[in-house]
Amino acid sequence: MTQAALSPVRVAAPYTLMLLTGLYIAQGIPYGFFTQALPVLLRDAGLSLKAISLTSLLFVPWTLKFVWGPFVDRVGAPRRWLLPLQLGSAAGAALLTQVDLQQGFAALFAAFFLFNLFASVQDVVTDALAVRLLDERQRGLANGVQVGAYRIGMVLGGGLLLYVYARFGWRPMFLSMSMLLLLCSLPAFWLRVPAARAEPLRITGRALVAGWWTRLRQPGVLGFIGLIAAYKFGDTMAASLIGPFMRDWGLQKEAIALIKGTVGSSAGLAGAAIGGWAAWRFGRRPALLVFGLAQTASIALYALAGLKLGGVGMVWAACIAEHALGGMATVALFTLMMDASDPDHAGTDYSLYACAIVLTQGAAAFVGGAVGDASGYVTSFVVATLASGVGCLLLVARLDRGAGPAALRTHWRR
């Protein structure tokens, strides 16, 4: 069957906003729990920083989600993907209420791994849908919605769920997660967008591999993947340490839930809104450069907090600054990634770039944990600050010289 020219697609703007907001909140809820709440719970149980860093293995499905890109691009309308995945994730959260935290972590980690597998495929579908629904002018603002909604999910998953656990226990926490995911799924029931490309239902493994391998070999793609990984390494290295750092600093779980999960992520939401407006108003290059360097400066505040300078106020300042400025930088980067994605291959292209970030998160978390165990938090935050600054300057300098996919050259200095 020949390719159907179905991209781009236009859907009513209010519904598009509601749909993407719900889907990205649904992605942020488990991510907020796994990256913010779970490390605190494991540190409270006595695990080392290096052992906690191994939870990054839970995100392996996210690093491999590009494998599903060609399948999502070729088979089935988005609604046929989203509803089973969303409802399956909600059911998975409900099943986790039956897991006993005191009986060991093996079964728990296996359940989390499957949960992330469902969420990673949902992410491919959602990102592909966003690329198809949004034009160039909308992407900066819409990526503010994307990152902002994701941050709201992180507030719920990392702050609210940790608070529920501290007050009511394990089972109410996962029951709350299940109900939140169901609520976020509602807009998908009314989705009526056709498949990006109409092809036979039977797609072979060889065709799938050929699909993403062909996209990976497009001129400039590999170099661009390396640049976005460098841009995010320092920030994600620092972010992986913040929960355990606050616990070891002497804060209680309820205080961490307030500072990191609620106030910090709310600052990230505000940062995402500002970042989306700036990417639309001033262009990609100024937003990436200014926000990337500002994000770098915010990481240095954690090193000062580790030296006990400024007391708990410095911890608050570091968390608010890192979330707000990190939200701005992330919006700018995601907008750039959408610019580099072909609408007819959006599930494959964007997931390749997103997988590079997830893989970077895993490597950065392990490096952060290893350096922290060996030399302490202060050294880790200093290394993260340097890595963040170098990565930001490297990405801007290389794109100035024409690196990356050809599509970026029409967007880079706008």
Side-chain angles (χ1 to χ4, degrees):
M1 187 178 294
T2 59
Q3 177 176 324
L6 298 174
S7 298
V9 175
R10 291 293 172 260
V11 178
Y15 173 74
T16 300
L17 178 63
M18 180 175 63
L19 173 69
L20 295 179
T21 298
L23 293 175
Y24 282 120
I25 288 176
Q27 292 177 27
I29 290 171
Y31 183 82
F33 175 78
F34 293 132
T35 60
Q36 297 185 15
L38 185 61
V40 175
L41 301 182
L42 297 181
R43 189 62 169 174
D44 202 42
L47 275 69
S48 70
L49 294 176
K50 189 178 293 186
I52 294 173
S53 73
L54 293 178
T55 59
S56 61
L57 295 175
L58 295 172
F59 294 97
V60 168
W62 294 87
T63 67
L64 299 177
K65 69 177 186 174
F66 64 87
V67 174
W68 298 101
F71 197 65
V72 169
D73 285 336
R74 296 176 184 178
V75 179
R79 184 175 182 271
R80 290 179 58 188
W81 287 94
L82 290 172
L83 288 182
L85 291 168
Q86 284 292 102
L87 297 178
S89 296
L95 289 175
L96 285 173
T97 62
Q98 305 304 309
V99 176
D100 188 351
L101 181 62
Q102 304 302 321
Q103 292 181 353
F105 295 102
L108 182 64
F109 277 26
F112 287 163
F113 184 89
L114 292 175
F115 197 89
N116 276 304
L117 179 61
F118 273 62
S120 67
V121 180
Q122 187 260 33
D123 183 52
V124 175
V125 182
T126 303
D127 289 338
L129 189 61
V131 172
R132 294 181 61 204
L133 293 178
L134 305 172
D135 60 31
E136 179 187 348
R137 289 281 297 169
Q138 295 172 329
R139 285 175 188 163
L141 293 174
N143 273 280
V145 172
Q146 175 190 7
V147 176
Y150 199 85
R151 293 278 181 169
I152 292 174
M154 290 178 65
V155 171
L156 298 174
L160 177 64
L161 293 181
L162 181 59
Y163 180 81
V164 170
Y165 173 80
R167 292 295 302 272
F168 305 107
W170 183 261
R171 291 182 178 179
M173 177 181 67
F174 276 110
L175 184 60
S176 299
M177 180 187 286
S178 179
M179 294 174 65
L180 289 169
L181 290 172
L182 283 174
L183 183 62
C184 292
S185 304
L186 292 178
F189 282 90
W190 290 274
L191 180 62
R192 295 293 184 271
V193 172
R197 293 189 289 167
E199 294 195 11
L201 184 60
R202 296 186 63 184
I203 302 295
T204 66
R206 183 176 181 179
L208 290 175
V209 172
W212 65 258
W213 182 246
T214 298
R215 302 307 302 167
L216 191 64
R217 294 179 61 190
Q218 294 297 305
V221 168
L222 280 175
F224 182 63
I225 287 174
L227 290 173
I228 61 178
Y231 190 86
K232 289 296 293 180
F233 188 90
D235 172 57
T236 53
M237 177 181 171
S240 70
L241 295 169
I242 293 171
F245 167 72
M246 289 183 173
R247 192 71 180 97
D248 290 348
W249 199 90
L251 298 175
Q252 299 300 312
K253 291 190 291 292
E254 292 86 349
I256 297 172
L258 176 62
I259 298 174
K260 186 175 187 292
T262 303
V263 176
S265 292
S266 297
L269 175 61
I274 295 171
W277 174 80
W280 169 75
R281 177 66 178 81
F282 300 109
R284 284 27 167 182
R285 186 184 187 278
L288 281 162
L289 179 60
V290 173
F291 295 151
L293 293 178
Q295 174 183 261
T296 298
S298 73
I299 299 171
L301 296 179
Y302 281 112
L304 298 179
L307 293 170
K308 298 294 183 179
L309 298 176
V312 70
M314 183 62 74
V315 178
W316 276 82
C319 187
I320 292 172
E322 191 271 332
H323 277 77
L325 298 171
M328 296 177 194
T330 299
V331 167
L333 185 64
F334 284 3
T335 302
L336 193 73
M337 289 159 51
M338 280 197 175
D339 290 339
S341 301
D342 182 340
D344 287 326
H345 302 274
T348 305
D349 288 359
Y350 195 86
S351 62
L352 281 171
Y353 305 140
C355 283
I357 292 179
V358 176
L359 187 60
T360 299
Q361 289 172 333
F366 182 80
V367 171
V371 174
D373 278 339
S375 303
Y377 287 111
V378 174
T379 301
S380 291
F381 288 133
V382 169
V383 172
T385 300
L386 294 173
S388 178
V390 170
C392 173
L393 295 175
L394 180 64
L395 180 139
V396 172
R398 292 294 299 142
L399 292 186
D400 278 346
R401 291 172 172 80
L408 289 179
R409 291 160 202 157
T410 64
H411 304 286
W412 177 236
R413 291 188 179 274
R414 286 190 179 182

